[in-house]
Amino acid sequence: MRFMTAFCKVFSDTAAIYPATNGYIIVFCIAGEMGINLKNRVFLIILLVIIFISITACFNTPDDNIEITSDESEEPIVLGPYEPYGTYQNGVITTKELFYSQDVKLIEDSGDGNVLYTDYPNGFKITLPAEARLEPDFSISQASVSFKSDEVKIRISKEYTGYNFVEFMEDYNCKYLESDDYLQNNNMRELRDIYCKKYNLTQHTYNNIKYDGYGRVGTYFSKFNFIKRTITLGSTETMGCYGHVNISIGNGTFFSILFNVTDFDKYNLLIQSVLDSFCVISVKGINIGNGVYSPTLPEWNTETAALYERLRKQEGIAWGLFSPYSEQDYFHVNEIEENVDYRFPVIMFYREMTADFPMEELKRAYEERGQIAELTLHLLSGGNGDDDNRNNTYGILDGKYDSNIKKWAKGLKDFDHPVLLRCSNEMNTTWCKYSGILLMNDPDLYVRLWRHVYDIFEQEGVKNAIWVFNPFDNDFPPVNWNNMIAYYPGDKYVQMIGLTAYSAGDYYQYEDFRTFLGCYEPLVEKNRKYFSEFPWVIGEFGCSSVGGDKEQWIKDMFTYLPNYPEIKVAVWYSYADYDTRYDRTKIPARPLWLEEREEYLQAFANGVKRGWAINSLLK
């Protein structure tokens, strides 16, 4: 003990360390009485000298004349060979005999520093500068083809509509690209004027209304939009420039070309090269994408992994129900369950990402009622209304809402029981802020939106979310670039596929009452092409009582659903869509209530008793 006290005293009374040429001169000034003998004091001083010499030797500064070398190479990065050239059959490069009745595309070296691309199913040719090193992507060629690099994306699709070209551009395809309020409120600006002279852009009059941005690509009447978004500082987004050129070739047919680049000035010549070389050729064959889809399962907790495995092997339907505020007040749900003599094993409710995490609602469903929740999380705030034309999807991509997303991830992690997380459904439509039509007509923005949120959940340690990708049954607008497959986030990011088709009735003149088979036979056929390796859930559905036989529709539902064994869960949307026009807001345009009439409840009760209904998902 006396030794340690002496050591500390000597160390604390040490005055200074002065640097010298080849080391350090250590000067000790021992002040005061230490209460130890001279022998111990000398021993401690010698010990300290040895320690300091050892330490300073480790950090000794080399002489100025010693050359310091680095193992890091400062040679410029050498890019690998750019070899996209070849003949592609159904999206795969081949040297075998070609079948032009299928999907044949050619990529050739033109010999003048350009790449010549010939697309037989779509019937066009273009040239691309080889120095841009754009890689082809034919994975969803049934919707569009793309050429990509880190700074450039060119997407081309061929579209068929029954509309007048100008009418379709202004009222549908380019509605938000042409909205000054929308652009201004989302930090965007129109740069079309810089292309006016090159492509002779002028106003075009249709139905006595003058519209901007029309010109010619070659001899073809075309619509031009060039827009730049100001990206928030610190965002991982880099490609904020969007050029849209829609080329009408007559008879309701047009080509849609999207240029998404980091900088218009840098890639202006590339854009002009593509447009100047655009050429229509004879069509041969059909588009066949080469995408293959199969879920890559995450590291779930034991309960969630077990539920997913049961769903995958399940024979039968676990029925679910949505009723407004049902997760808070089960009065209506209890009433329906009593009438159909069935406890729904799935409950569905909606939340926006800026809302509080519904911990109490999830606990009540799971602990008190034995239900799994299908939680529909909308990545927006303020609903899908106008909201001053602001679209917070861009803010999510820029990272502005990461704290909200982390709050949801923490809440779900703390809940710790399985949840079917249906994220931003019906994206291939016109009525959601995260729809492609509101995102520069670019479904890739939705893909990045989904992945951004998924990655945060993964980083926060969420191991109980089963992610459900749920497009609408029909694409609105009905164009190929808006095909549902263009929104698919990827095998790592999706574990279940959601289906939604309503028999909406004929209250509106543009809608029809569809039979159950009319709704689901084509939808199942479409999804089997892509997602046969996934379990499916009908995320929400129902039948209107306006314009058809709703009772028979319910009976047919129980008759034909066993033909679709991929469907494991089906959630009835027991509510109504109201006519929001003028003063009609109290009129139910699409009455979808299951409890609307006694015969509907009885038809459902009889169907459940036929033995295809699963009573619980928690076993």
Side-chain angles (χ1 to χ4, degrees):
M1 185 68 178
R2 290 181 62 201
F3 177 85
M4 290 302 298
T5 302
F7 182 90
C8 294
K9 180 66 176 175
V10 171
F11 191 80
S12 64
D13 288 343
T14 300
I17 302 175
Y18 298 101
T21 304
N22 291 307
Y24 292 88
I25 298 173
I26 303 175
V27 180
F28 294 93
C29 297
I30 309 300
E33 293 296 324
M34 295 185 59
I36 59 175
N37 59 38
L38 180 61
K39 182 179 179 180
N40 284 341
R41 180 177 296 186
V42 172
F43 171 78
L44 289 174
I45 292 173
I46 294 172
L47 179 61
L48 283 172
V49 170
I50 294 172
I51 291 172
F52 275 107
I53 291 174
S54 299
I55 293 173
T56 55
C58 295
F59 297 98
N60 204 4
T61 305
D63 291 340
D64 292 340
N65 60 350
I66 297 178
E67 182 180 356
I68 301 176
T69 60
S70 172
D71 292 334
E72 296 183 5
S73 173
E74 297 182 359
E75 295 181 2
I77 298 174
V78 178
L79 298 174
Y82 175 60
E83 298 177 345
Y85 309 110
T87 302
Y88 292 78
Q89 178 87 57
N90 301 337
V92 180
I93 199 164
T94 182
T95 57
K96 298 180 180 179
E97 179 184 0
L98 296 178
F99 297 94
Y100 283 92
S101 60
Q102 299 179 14
D103 188 345
V104 176
K105 306 180 193 298
L106 303 180
I107 300 180
E108 303 169 282
D109 184 351
S110 64
D112 59 357
N114 289 315
V115 175
L116 176 62
Y117 172 65
T118 304
D119 190 315
Y120 285 107
N122 289 311
F124 74 92
K125 287 183 178 182
I126 57 171
T127 60
L128 304 164
E131 64 180 3
R133 303 177 68 85
L134 301 177
E135 295 293 339
D137 181 356
F138 302 140
S139 60
I140 58 169
S141 63
Q142 67 272 37
S144 62
V145 298
S146 298
F147 295 87
K148 303 176 181 179
S149 72
D150 291 340
E151 295 188 351
V152 176
K153 178 181 71 179
I154 302 173
R155 185 201 70 207
I156 307 173
S157 61
K158 189 176 185 179
E159 311 294 358
Y160 309 87
T161 73
Y163 294 83
N164 172 276
F165 178 68
V166 176
E167 181 182 9
F168 188 78
M169 290 296 110
E170 300 301 326
D171 295 342
Y172 221 163
N173 199 67
C174 301
K175 178 179 179 180
Y176 293 95
L177 304 179
E178 284 292 329
S179 170
D180 292 337
D181 287 342
Y182 186 81
L183 297 180
Q184 181 178 350
N185 288 326
N186 290 288
N187 298 317
M188 303 176 190
R189 56 195 178 99
E190 172 65 75
L191 301 177
R192 184 164 48 206
D193 289 348
I194 63 176
Y195 292 92
C196 283
K197 185 175 181 180
K198 171 68 179 177
Y199 297 107
N200 193 27
L201 301 190
T202 60
Q203 287 186 328
H204 181 80
T205 301
Y206 176 73
N207 283 346
N208 297 318
I209 301 175
K210 292 183 177 181
Y211 297 104
D212 292 325
Y214 287 89
R216 297 273 172 186
V217 173
T219 60
Y220 300 109
F221 184 54
S222 304
K223 170 72 173 179
F224 294 75
N225 293 93
F226 288 88
I227 295 167
K228 182 175 182 178
R229 180 172 83 89
T230 301
I231 298 173
T232 302
L233 186 65
S235 171
T236 57
E237 292 289 298
T238 59
M239 297 166 65
C241 297
Y242 281 86
H244 292 269
V245 181
N246 293 282
I247 305 171
S248 173
I249 62 172
N251 298 320
T253 302
F254 67 94
F255 285 90
S256 174
I257 305 180
L258 165 66
F259 301 95
N260 181 204
V261 299
T262 54
D263 188 332
F264 276 135
D265 291 336
K266 183 176 181 179
Y267 291 105
N268 181 43
L269 293 179
L270 181 148
I271 293 171
Q272 292 188 31
S273 171
V274 172
L275 296 179
D276 292 347
S277 65
F278 177 82
C279 175
V280 175
I281 63 173
S282 298
V283 171
K284 296 180 183 179
I286 59 174
N287 284 299
I288 302 174
N290 66 346
V292 178
Y293 309 103
S294 180
T296 301
L297 301 184
E299 185 182 339
W300 282 314
N301 63 26
T302 302
E303 184 183 15
T304 306
L307 171 63
Y308 186 83
E309 186 63 16
R310 287 198 304 274
L311 284 169
R312 195 177 64 81
K313 295 179 178 180
Q314 175 179 294
E315 295 182 359
I317 301 290
W319 291 94
L321 188 70
F322 168 79
S323 182
Y325 310 110
S326 58
E327 75 279 8
Q328 300 172 25
D329 181 356
Y330 280 90
F331 175 78
H332 289 294
V333 175
N334 289 335
E335 192 175 54
I336 294 171
E337 289 181 339
E338 183 177 346
N339 278 283
V340 300
D341 192 23
Y342 177 71
R343 171 64 68 90
F344 290 92
V346 177
I347 192 76
M348 191 268 275
F349 52 95
Y350 297 87
R351 286 294 186 277
E352 295 181 0
M353 67 165 188
T354 52
D356 292 334
F357 182 80
M359 180 64 80
E360 294 305 315
E361 291 86 342
L362 288 173
K363 285 183 176 180
R364 187 181 302 117
Y366 182 87
E367 296 172 0
E368 298 178 16
R369 297 180 56 83
Q371 292 175 313
I372 293 293
E374 179 189 64
L375 179 53
T376 300
L377 174 60
H378 284 163
L379 299 175
L380 48 78
S381 63
N384 283 310
D386 181 67
D387 194 24
D388 294 326
N389 274 311
R390 291 187 178 89
N391 192 336
N392 62 319
T393 300
Y394 299 108
I396 298 173
L397 289 169
D398 287 343
K400 291 182 178 180
Y401 293 88
D402 282 2
S403 60
N404 297 87
I405 299 167
K406 289 178 180 179
K407 179 182 68 175
W408 269 79
K410 183 181 185 304
L412 193 54
K413 178 183 178 181
D414 291 345
F415 176 61
D416 201 36
H417 297 295
V419 169
L420 304 182
L421 188 60
R422 192 172 69 129
C423 188
S424 289
N425 59 306
E426 300 179 11
M427 71 300 296
N428 56 327
T429 62
T430 60
W431 49 82
C432 301
K433 286 183 178 178
Y434 45 77
S435 299
I437 195 72
L438 283 91
L439 295 177
M440 295 290 99
N441 293 8
D442 186 8
D444 281 352
L445 284 173
Y446 176 87
V447 172
R448 295 205 294 275
L449 170 75
W450 180 295
R451 291 181 178 183
H452 179 75
V453 175
Y454 188 101
D455 287 344
I456 290 177
F457 272 59
E458 190 174 62
Q459 291 161 11
E460 294 296 312
V462 176
K463 297 183 182 296
N464 55 316
I466 299 174
W467 292 71
V468 181
F469 172 64
N470 193 166
F472 200 61
D473 66 323
N474 291 317
D475 303 319
F476 296 103
V479 286
N480 285 320
W481 67 255
N482 193 44
N483 189 307
M484 70 161 192
I485 197 61
Y487 294 88
Y488 178 63
D491 292 347
K492 175 187 173 182
Y493 301 92
V494 176
Q495 294 90 47
M496 290 189 75
I497 299 301
L499 282 64
T500 294
Y502 282 94
S503 182
D506 61 1
Y507 177 90
Y508 297 109
Q509 63 179 5
Y510 52 84
E511 292 183 336
D512 296 310
F513 186 95
R514 294 187 291 170
T515 66
F516 179 81
L517 277 181
C519 288
Y520 280 91
E521 187 68 20
L523 182 56
V524 167
E525 181 181 354
K526 178 167 64 173
N527 278 272
R528 278 177 174 165
K529 293 178 182 178
Y530 308 121
F531 302 124
S532 61
E533 298 296 317
F534 293 77
W536 298 355
V537 49
I538 300 181
E540 61 180 85
F541 77 132
C543 177
S544 171
S545 55
V546 177
D549 190 340
K550 183 172 179 176
E551 181 183 2
Q552 186 60 48
W553 199 95
I554 295 172
K555 292 177 180 179
D556 290 344
M557 174 179 74
F558 284 98
T559 298
Y560 295 113
L561 269 176
N563 296 338
Y564 314 135
E566 299 93 339
I567 298 174
K568 311 298 183 180
V569 178
V571 179
W572 187 280
Y573 184 91
S574 193
Y575 192 45
D577 291 334
Y578 289 86
D579 188 345
T580 58
R581 301 172 300 174
Y582 316 116
D583 57 350
R584 305 174 185 172
T585 55
K586 299 297 183 181
I587 300 176
R590 306 183 188 103
L592 303 165
W593 294 287
L594 184 60
E595 69 273 27
E596 183 182 8
R597 296 176 64 174
E598 184 177 346
E599 52 262 42
Y600 304 156
L601 290 168
Q602 189 59 52
F604 192 92
N606 292 339
V608 167
K609 292 174 183 176
R610 292 168 65 175
W612 194 248
I614 301 297
N615 293 315
S616 175
L617 290 177
L618 297 185
K619 295 180 181 178

